[in-house]
Amino acid sequence: MLSNKFLRLASGISLLALSNSIYALEITCPESIAPSESVSAPTQGWKVFTSDDIHYFQNVSVYEGHPKERASLIPRDDKKAGKAISRWTLPREKQYKYWLRCDYLNTNASYIIALPDTATACIVTYRMLDKKTTAGIERIYCE
């Protein structure tokens, strides 16, 4: 089951040639995730209840090293032309592998993908409802 979901994530990634001959990795996180949870043994007197809720895509995080190491990077945020932009700089002099994580509402489950060793930055562009409120992600790419 997870392998099919990973294949959908991988299929959402494509190379995009930009006008100045620099290549960017365009990333599309899967729209939703449906984790299956279990509990090893309920506490006496209690019954376990799980639901098959679908959790929808919310945001992304970029990590220095595997996300299990919890080294989430902080982006530089900016606003341009009515869009909010988050930019993570990925120094190449460090010996870390960088990862991108797709985060979903109301769950700890996420999809992750290793970024190419050539990536030096990841940029997320958000749609804006008004001057202060974002309305979802418009584009995710790394260059």
Side-chain angles (χ1 to χ4, degrees), residues 7 9 11 13 17 19-20 22 33 51-52 58-59 66 78 82 84 105 109 111-112 135-136:
L7 290 175
L9 174 63
S11 69
I13 298 174
S19 60
N20 60 359
I22 296 175
I33 193 169
S51 68
D52 294 330
Q58 179 183 28
N59 208 351
H66 194 280
D78 197 6
L105 289 169
Y111 290 115
I112 61 173

Side-chain angles (χ1 to χ4, degrees), residues 60-67 69-75 88 99 101 103:
V60 298
S61 304
V62 176
Y63 289 80
E64 185 177 85
H66 194 280
E69 297 168 11
R70 300 179 184 252
S72 177
L73 299 175
I74 298 171
W88 290 265
W99 292 74
R101 185 177 92 181
D103 299 315

